[in-house]
Amino acid sequence: MGLAKRIIPCLDVENGRVVKGVQFVDIRDAGDPVEVARRYDEQGADEITFLDITASHEGRDTTVHTVERMASEVFIPLTVGGGIRTCEDIRRMLNAGADKVSINSAAVYNPEFVAQAASRFGSQCIVVAIDAKSVSKPGEEPRWEIFTHGGRKPTGLDAVAWAVKMTELGAGEILLTSMDQDGVKNGYDLGVTRAISDAVKVPVIASGGVGNLDHLVDGVLQGGADAVLAASIFHFNEYSIPEAKQHMAARGIEMRL
Amino acid sequence: MNTIAVIDYGMGNLHSASKALEHVAPDAKVVVTNDPQVIADSDRVVLPGVGAIRDCIGEMQNCGVDKIVADTLGTKPLLGICVGMQALMQRSTENGGVDCLGHLPGEVSFFGDQPSINEAHLKVPHMGWNQVRQVKHPLWSGIADNSRFYFVHSYYVRTENRDLVAGSCHYGVDFDVALAQPNLFAVQFHPEKSHTAGLQLLKNFVQWDGSL
């Protein structure tokens, strides 16, 4: 008996529509994030992460509206990430009904923003998203660096040291995405997940690379993650949330069933 | 009509609490307010709260919410949520030590100060779904004992008056997650984010006559 590990489906949303496609949604409604979130909520997802990849300002208003609709119908925690750059962005999302916001690039360009955000809104709602890539050569001590711009732009920042710094500034949770693994379906990068999970005192969400249910188990048991995030395996009905939870529970992981 | 006042003192996410109440009680009128008259005229009151305790208590004092809570307590059903529960206690160690509203005996302490938490490398905040051991109370009606609720907090409540405890939880330490007295129920978890079990608790609150 104790705290359960979490399963978090992630929706990539652009201009109020889920992109990357979601198979189980009715064709006429394909891509309505609220419908998708409701479906995951019914299946027993522990949280929802809403990643806004909208570029335009007009689109951001749509995002706020979508978050409002989602929060009126889905009664599990909701994290909104993508384009969070100012305290005003955070305030808008929290007022719309988000429980947490995820800060990514803005933390790299202005680490002080994380401190400001945590002191104003509380660490419990500030997630820092880290995109890490392995930079060590074979045979070397493993090392990972922070990349921005979808993994294209190196920053020279050591991922583990960066994660620690973010929590010292007030991040209440780390969303760790392995850029080597993202979309590859070979499983999480367990090395960096374990290294960061051991180094920080706050919960770590593993992300990037899930192809099957054993990968979720590995993220927790080997990576030390407190929560596991996945998109495509759930979107395309390869696995359902209850199946994933049963599978993890059968491996001895505390789950909310 | 059943009117539910969600007390607004400028902190945090009131949308979630009010939307969840509207969802479970479509016939009720849910108002987000800090108007003493509106709160005095309401049938029941919700005191939510997120963020740091010093800011919460400070904003409550700025808005006169401390007085509203004092006037409301015991007169009609009041539900405190998360920092709304912590605010009712005597004192918190957060922000270097903060005097809270002092309506319930007990302290609010930091998980990270507990050796048992650090030895087990338990993460702080305590974030996610944990099991709640219930003590019989009308607000648990229809919710199985040891059901999971969603928590996100770094500070926890312990009261010396065990008669007040309506629910408890374990995370490295045992702590109190529901305190009850006539017309008062205060919870550390977020019922508005706790799916079926949480919505049932809110539904029970909307129908509660305030008795134990």
Side-chain angles (χ1 to χ4, degrees):
Chain A
M1 152 153 190
L3 186 67
K5 300 295 180 185
R6 291 167 280 153
I7 292 188
I8 309 176
C10 178
L11 314 183
D12 286 353
V13 181
E14 186 173 24
N15 295 312
R17 308 295 288 173
V18 178
V19 296
K20 281 190 179 174
V22 177
Q23 197 186 45
F24 60 58
V25 170
D26 185 289
I27 282 295
R28 287 161 302 170
D29 277 330
D32 177 11
V34 179
E35 279 303 310
V36 176
R38 273 176 56 171
R39 180 68 169 260
Y40 286 134
D41 172 67
E42 281 163 20
Q43 288 190 358
D46 296 310
E47 284 185 41
I48 301 278
T49 287
F50 178 124
L51 190 59
D52 180 24
I53 56 169
T54 304
S56 70
H57 267 291
E58 306 78 67
R60 309 287 286 160
D61 292 336
T62 307
T63 300
V64 171
H65 187 60
T66 308
V67 171
E68 278 172 0
R69 282 172 54 225
M70 198 176 281
S72 303
E73 298 187 41
V74 175
F75 301 104
I76 56 174
L78 172 62
T79 302
V80 180
I84 303 287
R85 292 185 185 88
T86 64
C87 282
E88 178 56 23
D89 293 335
I90 298 175
R91 199 187 61 81
R92 277 182 90 193
M93 288 308 166
L94 295 180
N95 282 348
D99 299 285
K100 303 184 241 182
V101 293
S102 162
I103 302 172
N104 190 338
S105 315
V108 175
Y109 300 127
N110 178 19
E112 212 30 56
F113 173 46
V114 173
Q116 282 167 14
S119 103
R120 180 150 163 209
F121 302 101
S123 292
Q124 83 292 334
C125 69
I126 305 299
V127 183
V128 169
I130 291 179
D131 293 340
K133 219 170 181 171
S134 172
V135 290
S136 46
K137 295 186 183 70
E140 286 179 2
E141 184 80 3
R143 222 171 64 77
W144 302 268
E145 267 183 28
I146 304 293
F147 279 67
T148 59
H149 296 79
R152 294 189 304 277
K153 204 173 155 195
T155 62
L157 297 165
D158 177 78
V160 178
W162 182 252
V164 171
K165 180 176 175 181
M166 290 297 103
T167 63
E168 285 168 355
L169 289 174
E173 194 170 33
I174 298 290
L175 167 55
L176 171 65
T177 302
S178 159
M179 302 310 291
D180 302 296
Q181 300 296 324
D182 202 20
V184 180
K185 298 199 146 209
N186 283 337
Y188 300 117
D189 182 330
L190 299 172
V192 70
T193 306
R194 172 53 77 180
I196 288 181
S197 186
D198 283 348
V200 301
K201 294 193 167 90
V202 305
V204 173
I205 306 168
S207 159
V210 173
N212 63 50
L213 299 183
D214 283 332
H215 293 154
L216 302 177
V217 171
D218 295 343
V220 172
L221 296 185
Q222 293 180 48
D226 300 280
V228 287
L229 180 143
S232 56
I233 63 162
F234 297 130
H235 290 346
F236 296 107
N237 257 1
E238 286 169 54
Y239 304 98
S240 70
I241 304 265
E243 269 180 296
K245 287 191 161 185
Q246 292 292 350
H247 188 83
M248 292 172 79
R251 298 284 299 274
I253 299 172
E254 182 100 34
M255 302 299 294
R256 165 181 162 254
L257 298 170
Chain B
M1 189 196 274
N2 196 347
T3 304
I4 306 160
V6 178
I7 301 184
D8 179 10
Y9 50 96
M11 292 290 290
N13 181 357
L14 301 168
H15 181 102
S16 294
S18 62
K19 288 294 164 194
L21 287 162
E22 284 167 9
H23 185 82
V24 298
D27 297 330
K29 186 177 166 201
V30 180
V31 281
V32 175
T33 181
N34 62 13
D35 182 331
Q37 195 56 51
V38 174
I39 294 166
D41 291 343
S42 66
D43 299 299
R44 52 197 79 237
V45 176
V46 175
L47 181 66
V50 294
I53 192 82
R54 186 179 48 207
D55 294 350
C56 273
I57 298 287
E59 286 306 313
M60 283 181 186
Q61 287 163 344
N62 284 342
C63 300
V65 162
D66 53 342
K67 185 171 182 309
I68 292 173
V69 170
D71 292 346
T72 305
L73 264 181
T75 66
K76 64 180 87 172
L78 185 142
L79 176 66
I81 299 175
C82 195
V83 178
M85 174 199 198
Q86 297 183 0
L88 297 170
M89 308 309 293
Q90 284 166 320
R91 201 179 149 72
S92 172
T93 59
E94 191 173 2
N95 304 127
V98 173
D99 285 328
C100 303
L101 301 182
H103 296 297
L104 297 173
E107 289 235 336
V108 189
S109 318
F110 184 48
F111 278 119
D113 288 339
Q114 289 295 331
S116 59
I117 300 271
N118 295 319
E119 280 156 21
H121 196 63
L122 290 174
K123 302 303 182 76
V124 179
H126 172 230
M127 187 185 288
W129 300 78
N130 207 334
Q131 290 174 292
V132 174
R133 292 187 300 272
Q134 303 171 1
V135 175
K136 193 170 161 50
H137 188 281
L139 261 66
W140 299 124
S141 172
I143 304 169
D145 193 15
N146 293 319
S147 289
R148 290 183 186 275
F149 290 85
Y150 185 80
F151 291 84
V152 49
H153 61 127
S154 299
Y155 291 77
Y156 66 92
V157 167
R158 278 287 289 182
T159 181
E160 50 266 35
N161 183 353
R162 306 312 294 163
D163 292 343
L164 293 175
V165 178
S168 54
C169 188
H170 185 79
Y171 187 65
V173 294
D174 285 315
F175 59 105
D176 302 327
V177 299
L179 299 179
Q181 59 184 35
N183 274 324
L184 173 66
F185 202 79
V187 293
Q188 177 64 67
F189 52 82
H190 288 272
E192 75 281 13
K193 287 288 158 183
S194 295
H195 203 238
T196 320
L199 294 177
Q200 182 65 45
L201 187 138
L202 291 177
K203 204 170 180 176
N204 294 341
F205 173 70
V206 170
Q207 294 162 358
W208 185 36
D209 65 3
S211 62
L212 292 176

